[in-house]
Amino acid sequence: MPGHHPARSRRTTERKGDVRERAILDTCEALLADKGYDAMTVGDIAQGAGITRGALYFYFGSKQEVVTALVARTVEHLWERSRATARHDEPRPAVATAMRRTVELWNAHGTVMRTAIDLSLTVPEIGELWSHTADLFIAAITAVLERAGVPPGSEPRQASAMARALCWMIERTFYHASRESPEKLPEAAATCEHIWLISAGLDS
């Protein structure tokens, strides 16, 4: 039945496209770790993904677009972690779980996350992704603080304002720890966890 062939061909093309796009993003992540954003070229990405430059441009219009897509893929993992943190009932284990997962994420994707932070002020799409990610983590931290008895609200001693400060403190602490070495990440987590517990009145 001839009518079935286009559909079968289209599904095959879509699967092949997904594989190629994943290869492009995986290669980009590896090159960011090896060369950095400035030194990495479209040719490097295409070669690493096993395709031509022309084929790469079928998927992405520039190196910046590749990196933006890579950041988008990475922040999906971050969003999953923020939702998981919000589901914990008890504040203390929620904080410990959040810090453990933060270490895992920075170990797995620290290069991409540092690049996202570096580019967030100059690439609007990345800035928006990163800002949205921060808002989700702030909401999750706020929920933990409120469950610990911190009053809701955006005043300096209230949960939302404290969560915002905690979120950006955690980001910068892990950013600098990740730049030093992976071994610094658990130390960063322990420090952030301690400060978060103090903020929640759970440091005893």
Side-chain angles (χ1 to χ4, degrees):
M1 296 180 17
H4 289 175
H5 293 289
R8 185 169 63 245
S9 174
R10 185 169 60 252
R11 286 196 300 271
T12 302
T13 302
E14 288 169 353
R15 286 198 299 270
K16 187 181 296 183
D18 291 342
V19 170
R20 281 189 173 178
E21 185 170 328
R22 185 166 58 252
I24 291 168
L25 297 183
D26 289 346
T27 298
C28 179
E29 184 162 8
L31 286 169
L32 283 174
D34 184 44
K35 290 189 168 188
Y37 178 76
D38 291 333
M40 179 180 67
T41 68
V42 169
D44 293 332
I45 300 170
Q47 182 178 8
I51 59 176
T52 65
R53 286 172 61 101
L56 186 143
Y57 284 125
F58 179 78
Y59 298 94
F60 300 102
S62 66
K63 175 177 75 172
Q64 182 175 300
E65 284 190 14
V66 179
V67 173
T68 300
L70 176 59
V71 171
R73 184 177 74 172
T74 302
V75 299
E76 285 185 13
H77 296 298
L78 301 179
W79 298 346
E80 290 170 6
R81 294 299 185 269
S82 73
R83 288 193 292 270
T85 298
R87 284 197 295 267
H88 277 272
D89 292 328
E90 295 299 324
R92 191 181 292 275
V95 173
T97 298
M99 288 296 94
R100 185 178 70 253
R101 288 175 173 161
T102 301
V103 171
E104 292 170 357
L105 285 165
W106 278 90
N107 267 322
H109 304 292
T111 301
V112 179
M113 293 162 73
R114 289 196 308 272
T115 302
I117 293 167
D118 291 340
L119 296 178
S120 60
L121 294 179
T122 57
V123 181
E125 295 86 356
I126 291 178
E128 185 177 340
L129 281 167
W130 201 248
S131 179
H132 180 50
T133 302
D135 287 342
L136 291 174
F137 274 94
I138 289 165
I141 296 170
T142 299
V144 173
L145 291 174
E146 289 179 356
R147 288 201 299 273
V150 177
S154 57
E155 296 298 319
R157 294 178 179 271
Q158 294 175 339
S160 179
M162 293 171 64
R164 185 169 297 276
L166 284 167
C167 177
W168 293 118
M169 176 206 71
I170 291 167
E171 183 217 75
R172 299 311 297 181
T173 301
F174 274 85
Y175 176 93
H176 289 291
S178 175
R179 288 189 65 176
E180 287 189 51
S181 73
E183 289 72 26
K184 292 289 184 180
L185 294 175
E187 182 180 316
T191 301
C192 292
E193 181 175 346
H194 178 61
I195 295 171
W196 189 348
L197 290 173
I198 290 174
S199 302
L202 299 171
D203 56 316
S204 57

